[in-house]
Amino acid sequence: MSTSVESRVLPDGTVAGLRALPYDDPLAQYLVGQVQQEYVERYGGPDEAVVDPAEFLPPAGLFLVAEVDGAPVGCGAWRALPTGEAEIKRVYVEPAFRRRGLARLIVAELEDGAARAGHGSVVLNSGQEQPEALALYARLGYTPVTGYGVYACAPGAVFLGKELVLTEESPWES
């Protein structure tokens, strides 16, 4: 798996790097812990969806770490579902780095990676306690889809999806 850092300039001029890491890498696990803490604060507990780190290894999946000035400030991942769709998971940006376009960049890279891997669509699960995420996904063209997984019938769970279009080559598949 490529661990090279690909730099992108955000709308506010901040330079962010994106780097693919295994899900069980210590840095990835630190960020997953931050995501889970956010869920605890917003929902009263961590995400209970079962996650196998191998599901996030290319070409079946991808885990990206976002860095600014060499510091990890966000992450996101996708994994293949048995339905043929890709599921976006663990999109997170540290509070001090929010509202700069970093989550949009992460999601765009995840969508591109899933499309290049042959997935025609992506789905994700969020919740009513994450209005910022829901607003982002709406701006990115996500629409409601049928619930799935452990939260399929959970009150307040929100399931969204989007059709994908294959774009140019990416450094994340290798």
Side-chain angles (χ1 to χ4, degrees):
M1 173 185 309
S2 172
T3 59
S4 64
V5 176
E6 295 292 321
S7 295
R8 307 286 195 281
V9 178
L10 301 177
D12 72 353
T14 300
V15 177
L18 294 175
R19 174 164 62 125
L21 289 178
Y23 189 89
D24 54 3
D25 180 274
L27 179 55
Q29 284 299 292
Y30 163 76
L31 288 163
V32 168
Q34 297 297 99
V35 175
Q36 294 288 19
Q37 183 57 40
E38 184 97 9
Y39 297 152
V40 168
E41 291 169 9
R42 292 183 186 227
Y43 298 103
D47 181 359
E48 295 178 9
V50 175
V51 171
D52 176 356
E55 296 174 317
F56 298 95
L57 292 174
L62 180 66
F63 187 91
L64 291 177
V65 171
E67 299 173 335
V68 173
D69 294 329
V73 298
C75 63
W78 69 265
R79 64 180 176 178
L81 293 177
T83 59
E85 299 164 307
E87 179 185 29
I88 291 182
K89 299 286 291 173
R90 308 295 185 245
V91 175
Y92 172 77
V93 174
E94 292 279 347
F97 291 89
R98 292 179 184 167
R99 313 241 1 118
R100 296 184 186 190
L102 198 51
R104 180 184 293 259
L105 173 65
I106 292 167
V107 172
E109 290 292 334
L110 295 173
E111 291 172 353
D112 286 349
R116 280 187 302 282
H119 299 282
S121 62
V122 290
V123 295
L124 60 86
N125 169 226
S126 190
Q128 294 176 350
E129 299 300 321
Q130 293 173 270
E132 310 92 335
L134 297 177
L136 170 68
Y137 295 128
R139 284 191 306 275
L140 296 178
Y142 283 76
T143 58
V145 298
T146 303
Y148 62 91
V150 69
Y151 297 109
C153 298
V158 177
F159 296 88
L160 302 169
K162 180 180 179 180
E163 297 298 313
L164 296 176
V165 177
L166 185 60
T167 60
E168 65 188 50
E169 201 58 31
S170 168
W172 310 123
E173 277 87 51
S174 45

